Amino acid sequence: MASRPAHEKPREGRVLRLVLGDQLNRRVSSLTDLDTDGGVVLLVEVRGEATYVRHHKQKIAFLFAAMRHFAEELREEGAEVDYVRLTDAGNTGSFTGELERALTRHRIARIVVTEPGEWRVWEMMQGWRDSLPVPVEIRADNRFLCPREDFARWAEGRHHLRMETFYRGMRKRTGLLMEGGEPLGGRWNFDAENRKRLPKGHRLPDRIGFQPDAITREAIALVEQEFPDHFGDCAAFSWPVTRADALASLKHFLAECLPTFGDYQDAMKGNEPFLYHALISPALNAGLLTAEEVCRAAERAHREGAVPLHCAEGFIRQILGWREYVRGLYWARMPAYAETNALAASRPLPWFYWSGETDLHCIRQVVDQTRAHAYAHHIQRLMVTGNFALIAGLDPAQVEEWYLIVFADAYEWVELPNVHGMVLWADGGVMGSKPYAASGAYIDRMSDYCRDCAYDVKAKTGPTACPFNYLYWNFLIENEERLAGNQRMAMPYRTLAGMDDGRRKQIRTDAARFLDSLSADQNEAQVASVK
Ligand code: FAD
Ligand code: DLZ
Ligand code: SF4
């Protein structure tokens, strides 16, 4: 709680509870005493948040729709809600400006807010304690299972922060999938069983979408009008924007997809963006669902016999493990974390990350579906657009900005560790013991993309060879000094050492030709027109 100079008299008035657009949960810490203390709940649509990066249109529409529905639900409950719309007269466009204006509209004694997800906003909040004329109480974010301080304690003194160690601690702490202090089924991790390719002719489950209601349609129209040049379109918008719909979406996933989720967790298929994935990350990250309830529901489904253990574990690990871990890492290591560039990568982001116009069929698939749905699943993000960015040596800052823009679930606390650490290894190994570099063979094994590609995934060199193949070896050559000593990279470096000079030279030539053609493609004006 902020202290105030002793000579100042406490202001009389009510509590102002600021709820940010990704804190839309009735149990969020800023609202826990709403019933007893009352006060005014403030929600604000501000241009600054929609444009600090030029978010995908669906992300902005999703959040505005969810904020408007949440405000209605609070009102129905009897709460006093002050809702500022983007186009309201006098809207200053920033959280700070809107707090200042709210203090002129209401007699306020103190402000209560839950800590934000992003460092950028955290810094802003620190400023409020000095600049605003009332005390500002910043409460811990209770939507996560691991408090920031607990993660910081765990991370203290460790250079490498391995997810698996953290995850086991979280299983013990929560008792999820535990029996008598031991992991259910005798193993912590069933990852090895979660790597199947989709069989030919496999019938995927139908997915439920949510038809935009009048409030959501209005939010979409607002976004089309105010942010017409942002990336993406809203034609296929079908995200759940209320807690009730998010719960319906979770229920559908648990019944129809989770029993098979684990098997095909890493699979990819042309024109099939969703497969068995949960599609809950926008709702989860905005507060419509909580990590705890989702994990408990998945565990229950297993204990009731509806879901095999490897599927329940594979899913729970993503949330209890990865999601909590990246959030903890972000807060433990920011702001320095974002600044490193361990592999000194500097190539500009190719234009096809926006347009999808490329002969690399796998990239085209992921970019096109991302434009249409503001969604790509984990392996697409990691092993297609991510892997390409790594082995082509793309500038981490530009890649990170792209990931923050294009997905409906993107917030820096989750995007940055995944991109900077897991994908680009720009943190020099804090997060992952080795870079996830892979050749075209991985994509071919896990998808049917290569079948429809102009390149030949089996060819290693030459103009028709899959660029992932020579870029992979070129990446190893370029980073030999930095990576050859890494135990986990020993095998590929042994293979590289066995290559004759001619092969190495050919790899370098193919890679240079391809990468130079990318640079030639760069065109700022074109990029702006596609965004
Ligand atoms: P499912 O595959 O069904 O998984 C269930 C849930 O597990 C997800 O909803 C998510 O909450 C959690 N989860 C899974 N993997 C991760 C992970 N690596 N980190 C954190 N949570 C995870 N997720 C985001 O929410 N926002 C991002 O901005 C984001 N950026 C990413 C960038 C890259 C390069 C990579 C490799 C992953 C990123 N992820 C991000 C993680 C993951 O890709 C998405 O959470 C997932 O695709 C969301 O879809 P889903 O709900 O269908 O997930
Ligand atoms: C992402 C986003 C957008 C586009 N717009 C708003 C907004 O108008 N009002 C708001 O309260 N929050 C918005 N957000 C979410 C914030 O960016 C998010 O709360 C911060 O990044 C902190 O995590
Ligand atoms: Fe992607 Fe290479 Fe396969 Fe084409 S051949 S889809 S570029 S992995």
Side-chain angles (χ1 to χ4, degrees):
M1 172 106 175
S3 58
R4 61 176 38 257
H7 63 272
E8 268 186 40
K9 273 205 344 221
R11 242 169 94 130
E12 283 184 9
R14 309 162 71 195
V15 186
L16 183 67
R17 301 173 190 280
L18 174 66
V19 176
L20 304 185
D22 57 350
Q23 300 177 340
L24 308 179
N25 191 293
R26 182 59 185 84
R27 293 180 200 279
V28 73
S29 56
S30 56
L31 297 181
T32 42
D33 46 357
L34 179 63
D35 291 338
T36 47
D37 269 17
V40 183
V41 181
L42 178 67
L43 287 119
V44 294
E45 293 173 7
V46 286
R47 198 166 284 276
E49 292 305 304
T51 55
Y52 72 90
V53 294
R54 293 148 61 93
H55 301 288
H56 193 297
K57 289 191 190 112
Q58 279 196 36
K59 177 177 177 186
I60 307 175
F62 164 75
L63 269 188
F64 285 3
M67 287 169 69
R68 291 176 182 197
H69 279 97
F70 186 65
E72 282 311 304
E73 286 167 16
L74 288 174
R75 284 190 183 117
E76 278 162 23
E77 204 194 295
E80 181 178 338
V81 180
D82 184 353
Y83 193 98
V84 178
R85 288 183 170 227
L86 188 81
T87 47
D88 281 353
N91 187 330
T92 56
S94 75
F95 287 141
T96 307
E98 286 316 292
L99 270 178
E100 286 165 352
R101 278 198 332 131
L103 291 179
T104 66
R105 285 195 298 274
H106 310 278
R107 238 162 72 84
I108 295 299
R110 65 192 174 97
I111 293 170
V112 170
V113 63
T114 294
E115 66 193 8
E118 298 189 331
W119 182 266
R120 182 182 59 81
V121 183
W122 174 249
E123 284 191 309
M124 215 185 280
M125 278 189 187
Q126 301 308 310
W128 298 345
R129 291 179 150 164
D130 293 330
S131 69
L132 296 177
V134 295
V136 180
E137 183 188 350
I138 303 173
R139 295 183 178 169
D141 190 345
N142 58 342
R143 294 176 308 123
F144 290 87
L145 287 148
C146 180
R148 270 161 56 171
E149 301 69 39
D150 291 11
F151 189 96
R153 249 193 312 279
W154 175 78
E156 208 173 279
R158 296 176 195 237
H159 174 65
H160 304 295
L161 303 176
R162 296 292 174 250
M163 197 290 289
E164 190 61 32
T165 323
F166 169 80
Y167 169 57
R168 291 179 188 189
M170 289 300 290
R171 291 270 297 274
K172 289 183 195 154
R173 177 187 184 131
T174 57
L176 276 159
L177 298 182
M178 297 293 288
E179 206 138 66
E182 296 298 320
L184 207 58
R187 273 160 62 192
W188 292 103
N189 185 318
F190 291 82
D191 216 14
E193 282 151 58
N194 294 347
R195 293 184 186 140
K196 293 190 190 127
R197 186 192 157 106
L198 272 183
K200 255 206 184 103
H202 181 88
R203 195 176 178 284
L204 289 163
D206 294 331
R207 305 308 302 250
I208 51 166
F210 298 85
Q211 278 297 322
D213 65 3
I215 294 178
T216 305
R217 285 198 301 274
E218 209 183 329
I220 291 172
L222 175 71
V223 169
E224 298 286 9
Q225 181 192 307
E226 297 293 323
F227 309 104
D229 56 352
H230 282 215
F231 177 76
D233 62 61
C234 288
F237 188 105
S238 61
W239 296 109
V241 295
T242 62
R243 178 161 166 76
D245 282 353
L247 284 169
S249 161
L250 174 64
K251 192 171 163 198
H252 173 82
F253 165 74
L254 293 171
E256 304 299 327
C257 304
L258 186 58
T260 319
F261 172 87
D263 301 67
Y264 303 120
Q265 203 172 332
D266 288 0
M268 297 176 281
K269 185 170 164 57
N271 303 319
E272 289 291 353
F274 308 132
L275 305 178
Y276 288 91
H277 291 275
L279 314 181
I280 54 168
S281 48
L284 200 49
N285 295 350
L288 301 180
L289 297 171
T290 67
E292 167 136 35
E293 72 188 342
V294 173
C295 290
R296 299 265 174 228
E299 181 190 44
R300 208 175 312 122
H302 167 65
R303 291 197 189 265
E304 286 168 358
V307 171
L309 181 56
H310 72 280
C311 294
E313 190 283 318
F315 178 69
I316 288 174
R317 179 164 14 100
Q318 305 310 313
I319 298 175
L320 182 66
W322 281 111
R323 186 170 185 272
E324 293 287 327
Y325 164 83
V326 297
R327 189 251 181 178
L329 188 151
Y330 177 81
W331 284 104
R333 293 294 160 103
M334 278 299 278
Y337 190 73
E339 300 305 321
T340 53
N341 186 356
L343 300 178
S346 61
R347 193 172 298 283
L349 190 81
W351 129 257
F352 59 62
Y353 270 76
W354 302 111
S355 70
E357 286 170 2
T358 168
D359 287 337
L360 301 152
H361 185 65
C362 48
I363 298 230
R364 174 182 275 270
Q365 281 275 319
V366 176
V367 172
D368 286 353
Q369 86 169 55
T370 299
R371 188 186 307 104
H373 300 290
Y375 178 84
H377 68 69
H378 185 72
I379 290 299
Q380 294 176 311
R381 298 186 204 199
L382 180 65
M383 299 309 293
V384 179
T385 43
N387 182 31
F388 183 87
L390 172 71
I391 62 180
L394 303 188
D395 174 10
Q398 292 188 33
V399 179
E400 284 149 26
E401 190 188 42
W402 184 81
Y403 275 94
L404 196 53
I405 287 176
V406 302
F407 297 116
D409 59 20
Y411 298 87
E412 197 187 60
W413 65 264
V414 53
E415 168 274 324
L416 187 75
N418 272 300
V419 180
H420 195 81
M422 188 172 352
V423 162
L424 298 177
W425 214 72
D427 65 2
V430 174
M431 193 166 167
S433 53
K434 71 175 183 76
Y436 271 98
S439 69
Y442 177 88
I443 295 172
D444 192 31
R445 190 162 64 250
M446 296 314 299
S447 78
D448 62 0
Y449 292 153
C450 303
R451 206 184 53 193
D452 299 319
C453 187
Y455 293 107
D456 178 359
V457 72
K458 301 277 187 262
K460 306 286 181 245
T461 51
T464 57
C466 165
F468 281 85
N469 291 342
Y470 48 75
L471 288 178
Y472 170 73
W473 292 109
N474 186 60
F475 169 79
L476 293 184
I477 294 169
E478 284 193 342
N479 294 290
E480 199 156 2
E481 213 172 286
R482 187 77 173 80
L483 297 176
N486 183 323
Q487 282 296 312
R488 298 205 54 208
M489 300 292 283
M491 211 153 72
Y493 273 107
R494 260 200 306 278
T495 311
L496 186 65
M499 283 182 191
D500 61 32
D501 281 354
R503 175 84 199 281
R504 275 176 88 112
K505 211 165 144 211
Q506 184 66 50
I507 287 167
R508 301 290 280 158
T509 307
D510 285 334
R513 185 198 64 244
F514 179 80
L515 292 170
D516 286 350
S517 80
L518 292 186
S519 311
D521 271 346
Q522 293 289 311
N523 180 327
E524 287 291 324
Q526 276 178 311
V527 171
S529 73
V530 169
K531 278 192 207 174

